[in-house]
Amino acid sequence: MNHFEYSDKKIGNKELAMAVSSIMVGAGTLTFPRLVARYTISADGWISIMIAGAVAIFFAWVAARLASRFPNTGFLDYTSKIVTKPVSYVLTFLFAIHFLLIASYATRGIASASKLFMLPKTPTEVIVFIFLLVVSYCVIGSRTALLRVNLFFFPMVAFIIVVIQLANIRFFEPEDLLPVFATDWPHLFKGAQAAYLYFAGYTIVLFYSSYMNRPKDTGKMTVYGLLISFGLYVLIYIFAMGILSPVVSENTMYPTLAVAKSIRLPGDFLIRFESAYFAIFMMTIFNTASMAFDVVIICLSSMFRRVKKVVWVLILSPLIYILAMTPQSVVEMAMSRSILVMFAFAFSLVVPVSLLMIAKFRGVGTND
Amino acid sequence: MFRRTNHTKKPDSENFDPELVSDLQKNLDNIQKMLDDPQDLMIRKVPVGNTKFSCALVYISALSDARMINEQIIKNIQLVMTETKPAPSSKKQLFALIQQEVLSVGNLKKAEAMDDVMLAVLSGNTALFIEGLANPLIIGTKGWKTRAIKEPVAETLIRGPRDGFIEDLSTNIAHIRRRIRDPNLRFKPYRVGRRSKSRMMLAYIEGVIHPDLVKEVDRRLQTIDLDDVPESGYIEQWIQDSFLSPFPQIGHTERPDTVTAALAQGKFAILLDGTPFVLTAPMNFASYLISPEDYYNRWMFGSLIRVLRYFAAFNAVFLPALYIALLSYAPGMIPSQLAFSIAATREGVPYPAFIEAFLMEATMELLREAGIRLPKPVGQTIGIVGGLVIGEAAIQAGVVSPIMVMVVALTAISSFSIPAFNFALSFRLLRFGAMIAATLFGFYGIILFYIIINIHVANLKSFGVPYTTPAGPMFWHDWKDFVLRAPLLMLKKRPKFLQPKDVERH
Amino acid sequence: MIKRIMLAVLSCSLFMLTGCWDRIEIEDRGFVTAIGVDLVHPGSERKHPVYAVTSQLVVPTAVGKNQSQSGQSEPFFNLTGKGESIFEAIRKLSSKTSRTPFYEHNKLIILSEQLAKTGDLESVLDLLLRDPESRRSTTVFVSEGKAREVLGVKPPNEKLPSMYIASMSRNHFKSLHMYPPVKIGDIHRSMLLGQSFALPLIKKMSPKQLKLIGAAVIDGQDMKMVGTLGLKETSGLKLLTGRAKDGVLKVRIKDKLVVVEMISDTQSVQADLRDKQGPKFTITLHIKGRVAESHFHRNHLQAKVLSTIEEKVEKRVKQLTELAIHKVQGQYKTDVIGLDKHMRNYNFDYYQQVRGNWDSGKNIFANSQIKVIPDAKITGIGIINQTSNYNEVK
C-alpha cells in the first residue's frame, strides 16, 4: 500500500528537525526563566543559555555524526557493533529508563500547570490519566504519524510563542536587562548547567536517525532543530527578564505563563491571549511526552523483538502514570528534576562522545 | 447480506444457463425463457431482403431507441439487402455483409456468449440473430430518457461552468472528454454489482497520474462484490482506506470542472452509471476546503476566502465547545466587560452551559434535517422560520441565552461554508465530541480533543497519500496551493504530494 | 485494530469520568473587580493586625442593561470579611454571598492609608500575588480614608467604581499631577529589590466623586508608607522620572498665561560617585512641548518669544522638581526617584556597596546631591499663530 515514496516508514529532514526542536521545547519552558535566573545576577542568564546552547550544538552534532555513521541502523545494532553486545543492551536499557523519566516528568509538568491555572479542583490523577490516554493513542499509531503531529504543532508553537512575546513588547523594559555581565563565571556556568537540561533532548537523534530518508543530513537537521529551540529559549528568557524583570522571574513559579498573563491587547480581543499559550504548551508538552514514550518503545522493542508495540504501550503507560504521580510536592518535583539532570548529562554528553570515539578508533561504520 | 440470501433462492436463473446455438428459434426461446418473456422484450423476425435468409432482432423496448431500430436496422436489412447484388451465398458472407454494409450504425460488436447477449439486451442494445449462426451481432441502440443537464444544486458557484453531471454515464464521460482532449485520457471500464451490472469508469490521465496509484485503485475496484450499486457512495465506502474515521477519504462532486481539475492534478475519478456523483481521489485534508471558484477568481480573493474557510472549519468544530469551556471553566479568559454581559444574559437560564449548547445544537441539526426532507419551497422557509422562531422563543422563554443562539448560528454558518458536503458532515460529528470534551475538562479537554484529531488525521491515508499533506510530510512547493492560493503563473507544477509522472503543468 | 480499541477505550473513559470538578457556571460566579484592604483596629498596637478585606462584586444584570432599567438594582455590591490573613478574610467574605467570588477579573487593589502606614505591605500583597487567580497587571492604589469607603462611591457615568477608578487613572497622562497607576507586578519587583516606590493616592471627595490627590511614598526596606506627595510634588516626581508625557505645564510670561502641553519627556541621569557617602546626581530632563493655549498675544513664530516660553518652562520644571526632591529626599529620605535603580543598572558595583544603606540605614540617599537640569524645547504652536495682534507694537 505504501507506493508513495514519502508515505512509507521513513521520515523526512523537516520531521527530524522538528522532532529535535519540539522535544526540547517542553514542560521545561514554563519554568525555565526561573531556574536559569536563579543562578545569575540580573539578566545575565542569556549568557548561560548561550554557553549551554553552544555546548549542546557541539554535542548534538557529535551525536548526529555517530548516528549517521550507521545509516538505517537502530541504536542497539550500531552500539553492539561499536561496543560489545552486552554493553549495548545495558546502554539501550538505560536510555529507555531515561526517556521513560522524561515522559513522566513532562506529563507531570503539564498536569501541575494545568491544575494550577485551569482545573484547580480536578484531581491530578485524572488530569494525568487522560493526558496519558491521548499520548498512548498517539504512540500506538504509526511512528511517522507521531513525528508528523510534531510537524503540525511545532510551527504553531513557535509562532505563538513569538507572537506572545512580541505582543508584550509594550511592557518590555530594556533597563531591566541591565547591568550586563555582572555575574561571575562560576555562576554563569551554574546557570548554563541548569539551562543545558533543556537542550539535552537531542539524544532522540540516536534513535530516530535510522528512520531518516536521507541519513546524511542527520547532523545538519539536528543542529537546525536545536538552533530553532535555542532561539525560542533565548527569546522567552529575554522577554521574561524584560517584562517581569530578573528578580521576579526568579520568584515566579511559571514565569513564561506570567508573561502570557500580563498581555493586554489593545481593544481586548474576544478571548484573552493566555488561552493560546495554554493550548500551545499542552501541544508541545504532548509532543515531548509522546516522543519520549516512543523512544522508550524503540529501545525496548529493539531488545525484545518479539513483543508487539501494543503490549509495550499497555505495560509502559501505567508505569509512566505511576512515575508521574510519584512526586508529591513541588520540592519532590525539583528532586526528580535533578535526577533527570544527572541522566541528561551522562546520556547527552558522555555517551555519544565516547561511542563516536570508540567507533572511530575501531573503524566501525561508514566514514564520510 | 439479506439480498444475497434472496439471490440463491431465485428460480431457474441459477440452473438455467443456456449456450448460444446456431438454431435461431432455439436461441430466441432461450432468451424468452431466461427473461420470463416480459412484455417489453421485443423479438422481431425479419426476412433479410430478398434473400432466403431470415434474422431476428431482440431488444427491450423501454431501453432502446425505437426510431433507430426501425430506420437504421430493420429498414436497411429489408431494403439494402434487396438492392445488393449479388446476393450473399453463405451465412458467413451474409453476416459480413450485414456487419459491414447494411447497418448504418456505428456501434457494432459480435457477441461471443449468451451472457454477453443478455447483458447487451438488458442494457438497451439490440441483438441481431441470423438464422443458422450462433453468434449474434450486438448493435448499440441504447436510448432512454435522461435528465437535462443542469447546474448542480449542492455545488453552486458564482463564477464557473453551469453544467453538471447527470445520471447517464455516457453523458458524464462526454462532459470530461469535452474538457480534456488529451489522447492519454483513459477510461477504464468496470461492471459492478452482481445483479445491477452497473457500468463504472475509472478515469485518469496516463502519464500524469502515478502508475502505482492506478494499480492500487484497480485492485480495490476489483474486490467490489455487491449486489446492487445504486450510488457511488457504495463504491466510496468499499474502497476507502479507513471506515472508522469520521473523515471522508474520497471526494465526490457533480461538477465536471472539479473532476477535470482533479484529473489534471494527477488524481483519478470514478464514474458510475446511474448517479451524477463522481468520485475523486486521493484526497487530502486541504483539498476538501478548496472550491473550484478559488481558481476562477483572482488569487488574492481566492486566498482570502480560503483562509476564511479554514477559520470556518475551526469554528464549525470548536465554537460551541469553546463557549462551554469559557463559560463554565475559564471565565477569566474572557475580557471583563464581555464576561459581565454574558453572565447577565445567562442570568435566569436554568441549564448549565453545556446542556444549553447540546440542546441548541441538536435543534439546529434537526432543523437542518427537516429543511432537507421537506419539499423544496417549504424547506427554505422552515429553515428561516424554524431558526428565527425557535431561537427567539427559546430566548424569550429563558431556556437559552442570546449569546448561545449567536454561537449556534455562527457554527451553522461556518459549517455551511465548507465546500465539500461530506467533509462538513464529519465536522458536524466532531463538534459533539469537542463539546463533550469541553463539558468534562473545559479548555484542557478541548486542547486534548484537538490533539486527538491531529493524531488521527496524521495516521489517516487516502490511497496511500497521507491525509495531512502538504503539512504532514512537508512539501513547501504545495503550500502555494494550500491555505493560500498563489497566482496561477506561479502554479506551474502539479502538486507534489500526488507524485505525478509529469510534473510540469503545461 | 489496536489503535481503534485504544480510541474506544479513550472515548469510553471520557464518558465515565463525568467528574466536571471545576465546572462553575458563569452566572454562579461573583466577579470581583476590586479589592480594598483596611485595618480593623487602626491605631491600636496589636501584635497581629486584623485585616478587613472588601471585595467589590459585580451584579451582571445591572451592568449589562441600560441606565433606565437598572434604577432599582445597584450594579455592584461590596462585601467585607475580616481575618488575620487576607486569605482568611476572603474566605469569610465568600460565605456572605450566593456566588463564588472569582478574582481573575480583578482590576484594582486599594489599600487604606492606615494599613499602608502600619501594616507590612509584603504580607498584605502576598496572597494577591501568589494566588493563581491573580493577575500581575492589577493596579494598586492607596486611599486616604478607608478603602471600603472609596469602593462605595457611586460614580455618575460609570456603573462600577472599579471601572471608574481604572479609567480615571488611565487618564493620568493628561494631567501632570496624577500619578500613573502602578501594577502589582511592578510592586513585586520593587519589593524583591528593596526599592522604594510611590503609589497613586486616591480620595473620596463626595459620595459620587473620587479624586487622585497625589502619591503615597512607600519605603522599600520596611515596606511602609512614609508619607504623601501633594499635587505639585507629584508633578515634580513625574517630571523627574521622565513620565510626564502629555502633561500640561502652566507658565506666566509678564503675567500672561501660556499653557504648554508636553510631547515628550525623557530623563537621563549622570552619577558622580567619587564621594562614596555623598554621591552627586545630575538629572537632565529633555522636555519637548507645544503651545496649547496662550494668553500672551505675541508673534509666536519669533524665536525670542519661543525661547522666553522655553525659559519659563524650564524654570517651572526646576521649581516643581525641586519641590519633589525636597520632599522625598529631605523629608521622607526615601528614594522614589529611582536613583538606586539607575545605579543598579549602570553602577552595579557601587550599588552592591551601598545596598541596605541607601535610603535606609545610613541613608546615603539623603546625603547625596541631586541636581536637575531641565532642557525644554517648544516644537509647535498649534494651528494658528496669534489670536489678536491688538497689543503688539509693529
Side-chain angles (χ1 to χ4, degrees), chain A residues 227-248:
Chain A
L227 279 175
I228 293 171
S229 47
F230 173 65
L232 284 179
Y233 271 118
V234 172
L235 190 80
I236 289 174
Y237 186 79
I238 292 199
F239 269 82
M241 295 303 119
I243 290 159
L244 298 179
S245 87
V247 261
V248 174

Side-chain angles (χ1 to χ4, degrees), chain A residues 23-340:
Chain A
I23 198 151
M24 282 182 230
V25 181
T29 328
L30 296 173
T31 49
F32 158 78
R34 166 166 61 99
L35 293 169
V36 176
R38 198 167 60 182
Y39 297 103
T40 52
I41 295 166
S42 88
D44 280 347
W46 64 270
I47 306 170
S48 303
I49 301 172
M50 292 281 180
I51 297 169
V55 172
I57 285 170
F58 176 73
F59 283 95
W61 183 77
V62 168
R65 275 299 292 274
L66 170 69
S68 56
R69 262 179 99 86
F70 304 91
N72 304 320
T73 320
F75 179 75
L76 184 79
D77 293 333
Y78 67 74
T79 40
S80 53
K81 273 184 206 163
I82 299 170
V83 286
T84 52
K85 213 168 180 190
V87 180
S88 72
Y89 267 83
V90 171
L91 263 181
T92 313
F93 189 68
L94 286 175
F95 261 112
I97 293 176
H98 173 51
F99 279 102
L100 198 69
L101 287 177
I102 291 183
S104 51
Y105 184 76
T107 308
R108 180 57 192 265
I110 188 67
S112 307
S114 310
K115 189 174 167 64
L116 208 51
F117 290 102
M118 291 197 275
L119 302 165
K121 289 196 200 95
T122 309
T124 319
E125 288 83 354
V126 177
I127 301 178
V128 169
F129 180 69
I130 61 164
F131 185 79
L132 269 182
L133 277 183
V134 178
V135 170
S136 311
Y137 173 55
C138 184
V139 174
I140 271 179
S142 82
R143 189 153 291 142
T144 19
L146 188 147
L147 292 171
R148 267 171 206 160
V149 171
N150 267 327
L151 198 60
F152 313 147
F153 287 169
F154 192 75
M156 247 192 280
V157 170
F159 176 75
I160 289 182
I161 288 180
V162 172
V163 165
I164 289 209
Q165 311 302 328
L166 294 185
N168 258 324
I169 204 134
R170 272 194 307 160
F171 306 118
F172 187 88
E173 282 177 38
E175 290 230 320
D176 274 336
L177 301 182
L178 297 172
V180 197
F181 303 117
T183 319
D184 51 359
W185 285 107
H187 280 96
L188 280 182
F189 281 121
K190 266 190 188 160
Q193 205 179 335
Y196 179 77
L197 176 71
Y198 299 99
F199 299 118
Y202 61 76
T203 37
I204 55 160
V205 178
L206 297 174
F207 302 91
Y208 280 131
S209 72
S210 60
Y211 297 95
M212 281 279 280
N213 251 340
R214 275 171 283 175
K216 254 198 340 203
D217 294 342
T218 309
K220 207 165 68 184
M221 287 303 131
T222 312
V223 174
Y224 281 167
L226 219 153
L227 279 175
I228 293 171
S229 47
F230 173 65
L232 284 179
Y233 271 118
V234 172
L235 190 80
I236 289 174
Y237 186 79
I238 292 199
F239 269 82
M241 295 303 119
I243 290 159
L244 298 179
S245 87
V247 261
V248 174
S249 308
E250 214 179 302
N251 284 291
T252 308
M253 289 305 287
Y254 300 103
T256 321
L257 279 178
V259 169
K261 266 193 127 181
S262 65
I263 296 186
R264 293 199 56 196
L265 286 182
D268 268 353
F269 197 61
L270 219 58
I271 299 176
R272 285 192 179 161
F273 236 63
E274 66 209 56
S275 50
Y277 226 27
F278 283 126
I280 60 144
F281 272 107
M282 282 188 58
M283 288 181 198
T284 178
I285 291 170
F286 162 81
N287 279 344
T288 310
S290 56
M291 253 189 298
F293 196 173
D294 191 47
V295 171
V296 177
I297 290 176
I298 293 179
C299 290
L300 293 179
S301 50
S302 68
M303 291 195 290
F304 310 98
R305 281 174 204 273
R306 275 202 223 127
V307 188
K308 273 188 185 166
K309 193 177 185 179
V310 198
V311 180
W312 284 125
V313 173
L314 290 178
I315 297 171
L316 292 174
S317 42
L319 203 62
I320 294 179
Y321 176 81
I322 293 165
L323 280 174
M325 292 312 299
T326 310
Q328 295 291 316
S329 65
V330 194
V331 183
E332 285 178 33
M333 275 292 279
M335 265 166 60
S336 61
R337 187 178 178 281
S338 53
I339 297 173
L340 261 186

Side-chain angles (χ1 to χ4, degrees), chain C residues 90-201:
Chain C
I90 279 179
R91 277 291 157 92
K92 275 189 188 161
L93 142 185
S94 51
S95 65
K96 291 182 192 167
T97 168
S98 58
R99 315 220 156 155
T100 329
F102 181 66
Y103 288 87
E104 272 198 47
H105 287 289
N106 185 19
K107 294 273 177 294
L108 33 113
I109 297 163
I110 296 178
L111 310 170
S112 74
E113 196 181 351
Q114 290 287 352
L115 173 80
K117 275 182 176 155
T118 53
D120 54 339
L121 285 183
E122 295 126 300
S123 315
V124 172
L125 294 180
D126 182 89
L127 171 87
L128 303 170
L129 282 163
R130 194 180 291 280
D131 196 86
E133 273 184 23
S134 68
R135 276 175 194 278
R136 303 183 67 83
S137 53
T138 313
T139 46
V140 182
F141 293 83
V142 172
S143 70
E144 200 179 290
K146 285 207 161 189
R148 192 191 154 84
E149 312 246 296
V150 169
L151 287 180
V153 72
K154 294 191 179 70
N157 60 339
E158 293 274 350
K159 286 179 181 158
L160 300 171
S162 49
M163 294 292 168
Y164 171 53
I165 298 170
S167 47
M168 184 169 71
S169 67
R170 225 175 288 142
N171 288 335
H172 67 88
F173 55 85
K174 294 257 171 77
S175 152
L176 201 50
H177 48 251
M178 278 162 83
Y179 196 75
V182 180
K183 287 188 275 185
I184 193 169
D186 294 337
I187 297 180
H188 188 202
R189 167 174 52 193
S190 301
M191 291 193 299
L192 282 168
L193 288 173
Q195 287 169 349
S196 305
F197 56 94
L199 292 174
L201 192 64

Side-chain angles (χ1 to χ4, degrees), chain B residues 89-405:
Chain B
S89 50
S90 70
K91 290 165 192 166
K92 285 255 166 67
Q93 222 177 347
L94 174 72
F95 188 86
L97 201 65
I98 288 179
Q99 190 174 12
Q100 284 155 19
E101 290 177 34
V102 176
L103 295 178
S104 49
V105 182
N107 190 354
L108 274 179
K109 213 172 71 190
K110 196 173 145 190
E112 298 297 339
M114 197 53 156
D115 278 355
D116 295 350
V117 177
M118 287 315 294
L119 186 58
V121 169
L122 288 174
S123 309
N125 293 328
T126 303
L128 176 65
F129 286 93
I130 295 170
E131 174 82 75
L133 281 177
N135 295 340
L137 207 56
I138 305 288
I139 311 164
T141 56
K142 276 182 207 171
W144 54 76
K145 288 280 172 288
T146 55
R147 182 165 64 93
I149 294 171
K150 273 191 189 159
E151 189 179 14
V153 200
E155 290 170 85
T156 41
L157 297 184
I158 302 221
R159 180 174 182 177
R162 295 261 182 254
D163 55 351
F165 288 123
I166 59 168
E167 285 75 8
D168 182 41
L169 181 65
S170 318
T171 318
N172 293 350
I173 291 174
H175 271 313
I176 298 173
R177 283 244 187 245
R178 248 183 51 214
R179 284 180 165 81
I180 305 177
R181 291 179 190 84
D182 188 344
N184 291 324
L185 177 64
R186 298 278 178 271
F187 285 98
K188 203 171 173 202
Y190 294 86
R191 288 266 175 191
V192 286
R194 278 176 183 238
R195 299 239 165 239
S196 71
K197 300 230 166 47
S198 312
R199 287 170 76 205
M200 187 173 74
M201 289 282 177
L202 170 65
Y204 56 91
I205 303 177
E206 196 162 4
V208 172
I209 197 168
H210 193 283
D212 289 348
L213 192 58
V214 179
K215 273 185 213 151
E216 173 63 22
V217 63
D218 182 57
R219 186 187 69 74
R220 291 196 199 177
L221 288 175
Q222 300 287 3
T223 62
I224 294 178
D225 186 12
L226 287 162
D227 210 24
D228 170 34
V229 191
E231 217 282 323
S232 51
Y234 276 63
I235 310 284
E236 176 184 345
Q237 289 169 55
W238 193 282
I239 61 172
Q240 67 189 352
D241 290 62
S242 159
F243 64 90
L244 276 175
S245 170
F247 291 101
Q249 297 123 53
I250 294 173
H252 65 71
T253 179
E254 283 183 85
R255 300 192 63 88
D257 52 332
T258 311
V259 172
T260 45
L263 292 178
Q265 278 189 333
K267 295 179 181 172
F268 61 83
I270 297 169
L271 296 86
L272 182 74
D273 196 26
T275 175
F277 288 96
V278 173
L279 305 177
T280 54
M283 294 290 269
N284 57 355
F285 193 91
S287 49
Y288 286 100
L289 291 167
I290 288 174
S291 157
E293 214 170 358
D294 299 351
Y295 302 97
Y296 305 155
N297 283 318
R298 301 185 64 251
W299 73 275
M300 285 190 205
F301 182 72
S303 300
L304 176 75
I305 288 295
R306 263 201 209 168
V307 172
L308 209 66
R309 253 183 239 136
Y310 276 87
F311 180 66
F314 179 83
N315 268 355
V317 181
F318 288 108
L319 203 60
L322 277 176
Y323 173 81
I324 297 172
L326 288 177
L327 259 65
S328 301
Y329 283 87
M333 285 179 189
I334 317 172
S336 306
Q337 293 287 354
L338 187 62
F340 301 158
S341 60
I342 291 176
T345 60
R346 290 258 322 145
E347 201 84 35
V349 175
Y351 303 119
F354 78 93
I355 291 186
E356 192 191 7
F358 274 105
L359 210 70
M360 282 314 278
E361 284 299 334
T363 314
M364 190 68 217
E365 294 298 319
L366 214 63
L367 272 175
R368 230 187 226 209
E369 193 59 22
I372 295 167
R373 298 285 158 258
L374 282 167
K376 255 187 199 131
V378 192
Q380 282 187 346
T381 34
I382 204 81
I384 300 162
V385 172
L388 287 180
V389 172
I390 294 186
E392 185 62 28
I395 297 170
Q396 290 291 324
V399 183
V400 295
S401 62
I403 193 127
M404 180 71 238
V405 175

